[in-house]
């Protein structure tokens, strides 16, 4: 089975540019999570969706960040405009449902560098 | 509110030695606890989880963890380290009452295995 697929794996951009990160969850999973990993703050949950609907976006740092899930097999995280402090590894994870017992499966991540 | 503290950001052991990675949690409700492993340039993958029942939980690759409510701990152990165990390990908590599966992660512990 294909796991969670994220693209691109690496992104280098200049401050002020728009960045779009993409995620394809595991087929049949209906919950999707976006995380950010930095040395300073560790792993932070940014937003999660259930059945394509955003449930909690309280972790989104500011209005420059937005996420969408137009269908069950695709989600995007967009940063506009990007800033150097957005440099991090962004992970997408999916699970078969919401609920504490459901395991989250992670993608390999997108390493973003904003110059 | 829930939180996780991983004691020691770096742990170094010799190949064949006991691995002990410490995790303490804080939760006002009965917790569900997880250990994830992250190999270089990869996403997180589940090692093991505790939800209810037996407090000693066995996971993949010979790892196990014991839930100790009185000590609010969920330490990860492996009797004999292998070079391939070198990775970053994350402890995470959620609650049985959570209908979201929102995970709170610790800061991570990097395990180094020396030949």
């Amino acid at each position: 089975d294909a796991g969670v697929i994220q693209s691109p794996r690496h992104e280098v951009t200049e401050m002020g540019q728009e960045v779009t990160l993409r995620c394809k969850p595991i087929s049949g999973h209906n919950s999707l999570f976006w995380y950010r990993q930095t040395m300073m703050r560790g792993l932070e949950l940014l937003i999660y969706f259930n059945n394509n609907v955003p449930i909690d976006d309280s972790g989104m740092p500011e209005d420059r960040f937005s996420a969408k899930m137009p269908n069950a097999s695709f989600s995007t995280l967009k940063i506009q405009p990007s800033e150097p402090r957005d440099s991090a590894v962004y992970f997408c994870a999916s699970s078969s449902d919401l609920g504490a017992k459901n395991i989250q499966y992670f993608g390999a991540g997108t390493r973003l560098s904003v110059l | 509110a829930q939180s996780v503290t991983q004691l020691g950001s770096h742990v170094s052991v010799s190949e064949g030695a006991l691995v002990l990675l410490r995790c303490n949690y804080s939760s006002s409700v009965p917790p569900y606890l997880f250990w994830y492993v992250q190999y270089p340039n990869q996403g997180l993958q589940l090692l093991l989880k505790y939800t209810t029942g037996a407090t000693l939980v066995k996971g993949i690759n010979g790892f196990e963890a014991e839930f100790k409510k009185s000590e609010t701990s969920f330490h990860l152990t492996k009797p004999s380290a292998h070079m391939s165990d070198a990775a970053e390990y994350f402890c995470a908590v959620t609650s049985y009452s959570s209908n979201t599966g929102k995970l709170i992660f610790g800061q991570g512990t990097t395990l180094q295995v020396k030949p």
Side-chain angles (χ1 to χ4, degrees):
Chain A
D1 284 340
V4 175
I5 299 172
Q6 291 186 245
S7 64
R9 289 295 311 276
H10 298 88
E11 177 79 39
V12 180
T13 191
E14 293 187 346
M15 183 173 63
Q17 296 298 306
E18 177 180 295
V19 175
T20 299
L21 312 182
R22 297 172 175 80
C23 176
K24 177 179 170 57
I26 293 172
S27 178
H29 282 188
N30 62 4
S31 296
L32 184 139
F33 304 77
W34 281 102
Y35 290 87
R36 179 172 66 175
Q37 184 180 38
T38 61
M39 289 292 291
M40 291 297 294
R41 300 175 67 91
L43 267 166
E44 303 172 278
L45 177 64
L46 300 178
I47 185 172
Y48 63 92
F49 296 82
N50 186 236
N51 293 323
N52 312 336
V53 176
I55 303 300
D56 183 351
D57 65 354
S58 60
M60 295 286 261
E62 49 198 275
D63 292 344
R64 298 184 297 107
F65 285 70
S66 63
K68 294 182 179 180
M69 193 163 185
N71 57 61
S73 58
F74 184 65
S75 177
T76 59
L77 178 67
K78 184 177 294 186
I79 308 172
Q80 166 62 20
S82 58
E83 297 183 3
R85 60 190 167 126
D86 302 330
S87 298
V89 181
Y90 292 81
F91 289 103
C92 175
S94 71
S95 68
S96 57
D97 205 344
L98 289 183
K101 289 188 176 183
N102 292 294
I103 298 168
Q104 293 183 25
Y105 295 85
F106 284 74
T110 295
R111 182 175 298 276
L112 174 64
S113 298
V114 183
L115 306 177
Chain B
Q2 295 180 307
S3 65
V4 173
T5 302
Q6 292 183 236
L7 300 175
S9 59
H10 289 82
V11 170
S12 181
V13 300
S14 297
E15 191 173 19
L18 171 71
V19 175
L20 171 60
L21 305 183
R22 300 178 186 274
C23 171
N24 287 88
Y25 69 91
S26 173
S27 179
S28 58
V29 295
Y32 286 170
L33 295 157
F34 303 78
W35 275 100
Y36 278 83
V37 61
Q38 183 181 26
Y39 298 103
N41 299 314
Q42 295 186 28
L44 282 70
Q45 69 179 84
L46 184 70
L47 270 180
L48 50 81
K49 67 176 183 177
Y50 167 79
T51 53
T52 56
T55 57
L56 182 62
V57 180
K58 295 185 184 300
I60 61 172
N61 301 337
F63 285 93
E64 61 183 35
E66 186 170 12
F67 170 61
K68 292 187 176 180
K69 182 179 178 181
S70 61
E71 299 177 7
T72 62
S73 69
F74 191 57
H75 302 331
L76 182 70
T77 60
K78 181 174 180 177
S80 177
H82 192 272
M83 296 297 290
S84 61
D85 295 327
E88 189 160 17
Y89 293 79
F90 292 90
C91 184
V93 64
T94 186
S95 72
Y96 80 97
S97 61
S98 168
N99 60 0
T100 68
K102 185 174 178 178
L103 290 171
I104 307 299
F105 284 92
Q107 286 294 97
T109 297
T110 299
L111 176 64
Q112 179 187 24
V113 182
K114 298 177 291 186

